[in-house]
Amino acid sequence: MWGMIATWRMAVEGITKGSELLKAGKDAGDAIETAIREVEDFPYYKSVGYGGLPNEEMEVEMDAAFMDGDTLDIGAVAAIKDFANPVSIARRLSHEKVNSLLVAEGAEKFAHKEGFERKNMLTDRAKAHYRKRVKEVAAQEIKPYSGHDTVGMACLDMTGKMTAATSTSGLFMKKKGRVGDSPISGSGFYADSKRGAASATGLGEDLMKGCISYEIVRLMGEGMHPQEACETAVNKLDAQLKERRGQAGDLSLIAMNPKGEWGVATNIEGFSFAVVTENQEPTVYLVTRGEDGHCTFEVASEEWMENYMKTRMAPIEE
Ligand code: ASP
């Protein structure tokens, strides 16, 4: 069995490419890196890689991670600027015994020395979004933190190897130097080929309070189906945050186990995800969360898919 599951509709082209490798018997590390690079390179996804939305100072600072579920190797970069594919730098760092999570200038220096492609990641479109938001914030107290989405993936290859990886430009208008859950092991991602892999999107500050990707892998290790593991972990953290703090930020998770079974859970409206397995063509689903915290999903209609692209590519009215 092989398969991949990923957060948001934006991942579908990536997992389609990744699935070609898996189908051909290739490695889960190569497949997930290929899949995430595809999302990083697409200029109209405004929360990952090229075209990602900038921080308060109009700089695109990105976080990314890679984990090998066989060896438990982890590599990650945080607040890195001006490199085309943060996920590849993260994967390269996963081969290091020490110094495998690098931030800002340190990460950039490493990437430069290793010959990774430099690229100005701030597009004119992202600048237009920025200028628009500055105006809106000045006009009224709009939460600067809406408008984000991380691509997070879990992958299983034919040999039974599992990987997890993430890439994001983080929260729009974040403070310079702010790091979310995405490059943090156990929070934004986790992979263990014996138990499964999981990844998160949502409000990093809250996702980190539950080490939620690890929690899901732990539950799968105890024998829970990925769907039950995702719902159990998300509902528990959501309830805990509400009880202790009065509110919970956005929490959305995807997971896969070593059998290629998968699951998702969310505490928001409008979460979408993409999945492909040996038995299933690449498919985008939309998730609905019931009152009881149980999540159901339906295949996104063609109309929804077309609308999605139209909105992504529509001109920005400043
Ligand atoms: N989790 C990401 C962060 O907090 C953002 C997102 O997934 O929407 O940086």
Side-chain angles (χ1 to χ4, degrees):
M1 182 49 111
W2 54 262
M4 282 183 112
I5 182 162
T7 56
W8 305 110
R9 180 264 166 254
M10 66 176 154
V12 75
E13 289 84 6
I15 66 159
T16 303
K17 242 183 147 178
S19 69
E20 296 301 323
L21 298 180
L22 295 172
K23 213 180 286 173
K26 298 270 166 58
D27 173 69
D30 293 337
I32 208 165
E33 181 184 350
T34 300
I36 293 215
R37 285 176 68 107
E38 185 76 13
V39 188
E40 288 177 338
D41 289 343
F42 191 69
Y44 289 97
Y45 295 147
K46 56 186 175 22
S47 50
V48 176
Y50 187 59
L53 293 181
N55 65 12
E56 230 178 36
E57 298 182 20
M58 224 214 233
E59 302 165 323
V60 183
E61 285 190 333
M62 300 166 293
D63 300 338
F66 173 89
M67 182 163 184
D68 179 318
D70 275 0
T71 58
L72 305 182
D73 282 338
I74 291 173
V77 289
I80 189 172
K81 277 188 303 200
D82 296 330
F83 278 90
N85 296 109
V87 73
S88 298
I89 304 166
R91 186 176 182 201
R92 169 65 190 81
L93 281 167
S94 73
H95 303 312
E96 301 290 311
K97 245 198 184 135
V98 288
N99 303 310
S100 52
L101 194 177
L102 294 179
V103 306
E105 290 95 322
E108 287 152 18
K109 217 174 205 177
F110 173 86
H112 179 68
K113 276 194 196 147
E114 290 291 319
F116 284 97
E117 185 193 341
R118 271 194 188 276
K119 187 166 171 181
N120 184 344
M121 302 297 271
L122 184 66
T123 59
D124 288 342
R125 193 173 170 86
K127 282 189 216 166
H129 275 292
Y130 177 89
R131 286 191 299 266
K132 189 174 174 213
R133 182 58 60 97
V134 168
K135 268 193 226 156
E136 284 168 358
V137 172
Q140 49 183 283
E141 256 314 295
I142 286 180
K143 242 193 0 198
Y145 281 172
S146 57
H148 52 89
D149 289 349
T150 295
V151 65
M153 297 189 183
C155 178
L156 165 71
D157 72 22
M158 270 183 204
T159 70
K161 172 173 166 177
M162 299 203 76
T163 50
T166 58
S167 185
T168 187
S169 51
L171 300 181
F172 183 24
M173 291 288 184
K174 64 188 177 184
K175 287 262 179 269
K176 182 178 176 61
R178 180 263 184 194
V179 175
D181 59 300
S182 308
I184 306 299
S185 164
S187 288
F189 67 94
Y190 199 80
D192 174 347
S193 305
K194 295 197 169 143
R195 299 187 284 175
S199 186
T201 177
L203 185 65
E205 284 74 359
D206 277 0
L207 290 159
M208 286 193 269
K209 295 184 175 86
C211 299
I212 192 156
S213 291
Y214 182 77
E215 177 61 6
I216 290 171
V217 172
R218 191 186 70 76
L219 292 170
M220 291 193 291
E222 290 190 346
M224 262 191 202
H225 186 279
Q227 183 57 31
E228 197 190 345
C230 286
E231 284 180 10
T232 305
V234 167
N235 291 337
K236 192 173 114 198
L237 182 57
D238 181 66
Q240 237 169 10
L241 293 171
K242 283 178 180 152
E243 186 202 318
R244 309 244 199 124
R245 308 169 58 81
Q247 57 182 13
D250 295 2
L251 315 169
S252 300
L253 272 294
I254 53 99
M256 184 169 275
N257 69 13
K259 290 190 226 163
E261 296 167 336
W262 49 266
V264 303
T266 184
N267 68 349
I268 61 163
E269 298 293 309
F271 179 54
S272 60
F273 67 97
V275 66
V276 59
T277 69
E278 200 173 318
N279 307 323
Q280 183 176 13
E281 290 297 306
T283 312
V284 173
Y285 288 93
L286 309 177
V287 186
T288 311
R289 177 189 158 96
E291 293 271 308
D292 56 357
H294 179 57
C295 291
T296 52
F297 25 84
E298 55 177 339
V299 176
S301 66
E302 239 161 72
E303 193 193 345
W304 186 91
M305 294 290 278
E306 266 169 36
N307 250 332
Y308 176 94
M309 254 327 164
K310 260 194 225 144
T311 5
R312 286 302 169 285
M313 298 175 93
I316 302 151
E317 283 169 31
E318 289 183 59

